[in-house]
Amino acid sequence: MSSVAAAAFTLVLSEFIVVAVLPDLVRQFGVSAGTAGLTLVLPGLLAAVAAPVLTLAFGSLDRRVVLWGLTGIVALSDLLAALAPGFALVMAARLLLGAAIGAFWTIGAGVGPRLVPAARVTRATSLIMAGISAGTVVSLPLGNLVAQHWGWRSALFGVGALSILALLLQLRVLPRMPAGRALHASDVFGLLRRPRARIGLVLSALLFFGHFGAYTFVSSYLGDRAGFSAGTVAVLLLLYGIAGFAGNFTAGATLDRSLPATLGIAAAILALSVLALGIWHAPPLVIVALGAWGIGFGAVPLSLQTNMMRDQAAEGALALFVTVSQLSLAAGSFAGGLVVDHAGLATDYLVFALPAVAAVLVAATALRRLR
């Protein structure tokens, strides 16, 4: 499990480090903040398509071989982006990353049940998600730190090197994982007939849309609106990431007791913290709200994945989850860019707190009835 968690760590680090270096991309290539945000939007769109397509295409392959290939693609995309002479090649490298993201979130996150006994599946999935949370912890502060001292290209080179190390670890320790019965389209899209899957997808859409509509511009918010220095922003982003790590493990401990309560409380914390950031920007309140936001969203992906995997084919359910979550991520980032460009950062945070509020209501009603 540790090698899969390491790959998840480098994947998330690769995906979100562009949030930390977004201002550098704006300055380097002379594009607007909204255009630079496409480095997060377009990979999300491709990941949404790649999740079901590549899951079906890889149906008969050993999952170990698939994970090797996906981790190698992540490393390649990081190195290409670091070497890119223009914004177009940066986008091409990010699209390559998007394909790997879609397949990894489906196949990588779904291997837990194949590596541990049934009683430890939630804990194993939590360990993989811990890699994701750890990537969230370090992506923004590490990206800021490296970019400040050695430039944004060095940050991407470093992430590429970590991806290569994760691949070497997988080559050493991953056991064979034969695919078993090949998936068919009906195994994926047939899940839409199940109420739990439909409700889970609605929750995924609301929470990812709301979160990334605000999160994509968190570095700009902390620097431009809250007035923190670049060094302080790096520290605050580390605080956010550590809080997310804590939220992930808290959810791992409470999901088996009550999934609706865990997800509903996480969504409520997310909504309230983003709303608070939209209303107030006094530094002490920003610090508290940012930490709460990290805890809230830290619990969200594991809770949503656990809901999708319960009583359903893991890879098929996760393929749908990845498609909806990545589409919502892309839509949220894109819409957030429009709001920021035309109405400002404060309005952006007020607008994107609303989908999380709606998710609280869904979790408290429709999801609770499935218990």
Side-chain angles (χ1 to χ4, degrees):
M1 294 303 299
S2 60
S3 65
V4 182
F9 168 78
T10 61
L11 181 77
V12 172
L13 190 59
S14 299
E15 184 174 11
F16 294 128
I17 198 165
V18 294
V19 177
V21 301
L22 209 64
D24 299 279
L25 296 179
V26 170
R27 288 190 294 269
Q28 175 78 46
F29 299 113
V31 296
S32 71
T35 300
L38 292 175
T39 55
L40 193 63
V41 174
L42 294 185
L45 290 175
L46 186 57
V49 176
V53 171
L54 294 183
T55 299
L56 294 173
F58 296 153
S60 60
L61 294 179
D62 188 315
R63 279 357 189 194
R64 176 179 63 171
V65 176
V66 174
L67 290 175
W68 289 345
L70 295 175
T71 306
I73 290 173
V74 171
L76 177 61
S77 69
D78 291 329
L79 298 177
L80 285 175
L83 294 168
F87 188 71
L89 189 53
V90 172
M91 285 307 315
R94 297 292 295 173
L95 288 173
L96 185 63
L97 176 67
I101 291 169
F104 186 92
W105 274 80
T106 299
I107 295 172
V111 299
R114 310 186 63 166
L115 295 174
V116 299
R120 296 175 57 195
V121 167
T122 300
R123 184 173 298 178
T125 305
S126 178
L127 178 60
I128 296 173
M129 297 302 296
I132 294 171
S133 294
T136 304
V137 167
V138 302
S139 58
L140 272 68
L142 180 63
N144 268 288
L145 180 65
V146 174
Q148 285 178 43
H149 290 86
W150 299 285
W152 66 271
R153 295 182 188 276
S154 296
L156 292 176
F157 270 123
V159 177
L162 289 176
S163 299
I164 292 172
L165 291 176
L167 175 59
L168 294 176
L169 179 61
Q170 286 182 339
L171 289 169
R172 180 177 177 83
V173 304
L174 269 184
R176 292 184 68 249
M177 291 181 282
R181 186 180 73 84
L183 284 176
H184 300 288
S186 60
D187 297 319
V188 177
F189 299 106
L191 294 173
L192 293 173
R193 294 192 295 268
R194 301 189 182 185
R196 180 179 295 277
R198 292 198 301 270
I199 295 170
L201 294 176
V202 170
L203 288 168
S204 301
L206 291 170
L207 289 171
F208 274 76
F209 181 77
H211 172 75
F212 284 99
Y215 177 76
T216 302
F217 305 97
V218 66
S219 295
S220 299
Y221 176 93
L222 294 174
D224 297 341
R225 178 161 172 79
F228 292 108
S229 68
T232 305
V233 168
V235 174
L236 291 177
L237 294 175
L238 178 61
L239 167 67
Y240 173 90
I242 293 172
F245 202 66
N248 174 77
F249 278 105
T250 301
T254 61
L255 279 169
D256 286 333
R257 300 177 187 174
S258 177
L259 191 154
T262 300
L263 188 51
I265 291 172
I269 294 173
L270 192 161
L272 291 173
S273 57
V274 173
L275 185 63
L277 290 170
I279 297 173
W280 299 291
H281 61 276
L285 292 174
V286 168
I287 293 171
V288 172
L290 191 68
W293 187 5
I295 292 172
F297 190 75
V300 164
L302 177 60
S303 301
L304 292 170
Q305 288 189 344
T306 301
N307 174 71
M308 292 299 296
M309 292 170 65
R310 284 192 175 175
D311 306 321
Q312 297 167 136
E315 286 188 356
L318 288 176
L320 286 177
F321 166 73
V322 172
T323 295
V324 170
S325 62
Q326 291 296 322
L327 281 175
S328 302
L329 181 159
S333 295
F334 179 74
L338 293 177
V339 174
V340 169
D341 285 348
H342 293 89
L345 287 163
T347 302
D348 180 66
Y349 278 67
L350 292 174
V351 168
F352 287 98
L354 299 179
V357 173
V360 175
L361 300 177
V362 173
T365 55
L367 187 60
R368 190 175 180 85
R369 287 198 296 268
L370 294 177
R371 295 180 62 185

